[in-house]
Amino acid sequence: MPVFKTPFNGYSVKFSPFYESRLAVATAQNFGILGNGRLHVLSLPPAPSSPLTELISFDTADGVYDLAWSESHDSLLIAALADGSVKLYDTALPPTQNPLRSLQEHTREVHSVDYNPTRRDSFISSSWDDTIKLWTLDRPASIRTFKEHAYCVYSAAWNPRHTDVFASASGDCTVRIWDVREPGSTMIIPGHDFEILCCDWNKYDDCIIATASVDKSIKVWDVRSFRAPISVLNGHGYAVRKVKFSPHHRNLMVSCSYDMSVCMWDFMVEDALVGRYDHHTEFAVGVDISVLVDGLMASTGWDELVYVWQHGTDPRAP
């Protein structure tokens, strides 16, 4: 299966929503603590036995923690940086003409970015400054700042169906649901007893959300009755860094963890763990499932490797 070696530590990987053979990787030097970053745009080979090839890369003065593809422009990437900036890149232009824009408002590291899949002109960023910011492509300043969390906001994700609704996951152990038309959050879910590192909405049921925590578990919630989770997924040995629902199957999701594994889950069955991949040799911190190709997965981690494979196959197979 295709593999790519990055010079720095991998942080995030995302498949293009426009091209089934394209993906982007966010990386940071020295495990993201101090140093430069690089954004890679990669292409899948025609034959699975060949390596991934780099189409273009962009160097940054600080680590890149996350990225998001635009849903409206096939060459546009949004990057979340350790210096508190959000940068826009056009992958069709050379590095000398990038970034197109650098949005410097967050006062601490930006840990996640998510592009609105339904409105297609706006995106959100979440930061260690405890806030989430709403941006549009045509404005040089944010439209709004959402400040309620009491600690770092590690992740924010748009609802796949409701244009104005997003969720945020924080180190204050809560997930908050927001509607950009409302003055404050519309719901607070005290999801875990430890920091929540990620959240994601189900792509088929817009009331179902998953949370991933330092407590090693993933919990699945129905926001219509969130006193108790509808499912608790245990199987990771350390903190769960990312969780992502499948775009093709209602009950499937993928996660990655500091235990170096990537896991596939079916949250509706008793034996929920349906696949475990132990191909990384350091923290696995980035994972994605292709929207365009059913079962195609990608992961990256602190071992400076990017893997792309079909669910059910060995990521390390030649």
Side-chain angles (χ1 to χ4, degrees):
M1 292 283 119
V3 181
F4 183 80
K5 173 81 170 69
T6 56
F8 303 150
N9 306 109
Y11 259 83
S12 181
V13 60
K14 302 277 175 73
F15 284 102
S16 162
F18 292 97
Y19 303 107
E20 60 183 50
S21 63
R22 192 170 297 178
L23 63 159
V25 185
T27 69
Q29 202 172 14
N30 303 317
F31 308 102
I33 297 160
L34 191 69
N36 308 124
R38 190 173 291 173
L39 201 54
H40 301 267
V41 180
L42 308 177
S43 179
L44 280 167
S49 56
S50 309
L52 290 157
T53 53
E54 184 175 88
L55 298 175
I56 196 167
S57 67
F58 304 101
D59 288 315
T60 57
D62 294 88
V64 189
Y65 286 164
D66 195 21
L67 58 92
W69 287 98
S70 164
E71 296 277 351
S72 57
H73 302 76
D74 63 358
S75 61
L76 193 64
L77 271 177
I78 319 283
L81 271 82
D83 66 355
S85 70
V86 176
K87 296 189 192 306
L88 278 61
Y89 291 88
D90 188 337
T91 62
L93 297 175
T96 50
Q97 292 175 253
N98 274 290
L100 300 179
R101 196 175 295 162
S102 184
L103 307 167
Q104 189 82 49
E105 286 189 24
H106 285 294
T107 56
R108 288 200 62 197
E109 291 87 337
V110 184
H111 208 252
S112 88
V113 280
D114 194 42
Y115 205 93
N116 194 316
T118 50
R119 182 163 278 154
R120 301 193 175 193
D121 68 342
S122 56
F123 56 94
I124 42 177
S125 58
S126 78
S127 169
W128 292 2
D129 66 9
D130 311 349
T131 71
I132 306 111
K133 287 180 182 282
L134 172 66
W135 314 81
T136 56
L137 289 179
D138 56 355
R139 296 199 199 183
S142 64
I143 291 175
R144 190 172 158 197
T145 301
F146 303 86
K147 184 164 176 56
E148 281 184 25
H149 283 294
Y151 198 57
C152 302
V153 187
Y154 294 116
S155 161
W158 289 105
N159 187 286
R161 198 165 297 163
H162 298 285
T163 303
D164 296 300
V165 176
F166 69 88
S168 57
S170 169
D172 66 11
C173 309
T174 70
V175 162
R176 288 172 190 257
I177 313 295
W178 310 78
D179 186 316
V180 299
R181 299 164 296 188
E182 302 291 337
S185 65
T186 56
M187 193 178 298
I188 303 168
I189 304 174
H192 299 257
D193 293 332
F194 293 86
E195 291 187 284
I196 304 175
L197 301 182
C198 189
C199 61
D200 193 41
W201 293 95
N202 188 288
K203 307 302 178 262
Y204 292 87
D205 186 332
D206 52 28
C207 291
I208 288 179
I209 191 169
T211 56
S213 171
V214 170
D215 69 11
K216 311 182 225 178
S217 78
I218 299 159
K219 293 182 181 179
V220 184
W221 310 84
D222 187 323
V223 296
R224 291 164 294 198
S225 58
F226 60 87
R227 282 185 185 82
I230 57 175
S231 184
V232 179
L233 309 175
N234 292 302
H236 280 300
Y238 289 99
V240 186
R241 179 60 179 265
K242 295 252 172 77
V243 63
K244 184 110 182 179
F245 275 104
S246 166
H248 299 279
H249 304 278
R250 180 191 180 275
N251 299 343
L252 291 184
M253 69 175 88
V254 66
S255 62
C256 63
S257 163
Y258 291 145
D259 67 8
M260 306 188 240
S261 76
V262 172
C263 288
M264 180 74 86
W265 310 85
D266 181 334
F267 70 90
M268 292 300 285
V269 299
E270 194 172 342
D271 293 327
L273 184 60
V274 294
R276 183 184 174 98
Y277 302 95
D278 292 300
H279 50 288
H280 284 290
T281 56
E282 282 285 350
F283 292 172
V285 295
V287 70
D288 197 24
I289 308 177
S290 170
V291 173
L292 302 175
V293 183
D294 189 0
L296 191 65
M297 299 164 64
S299 68
T300 189
W302 284 10
D303 54 8
E304 303 174 354
L305 290 170
V306 181
Y307 289 90
V308 180
W309 74 102
Q310 190 70 29
H311 173 54
T313 65
D314 182 354
R316 285 181 291 206

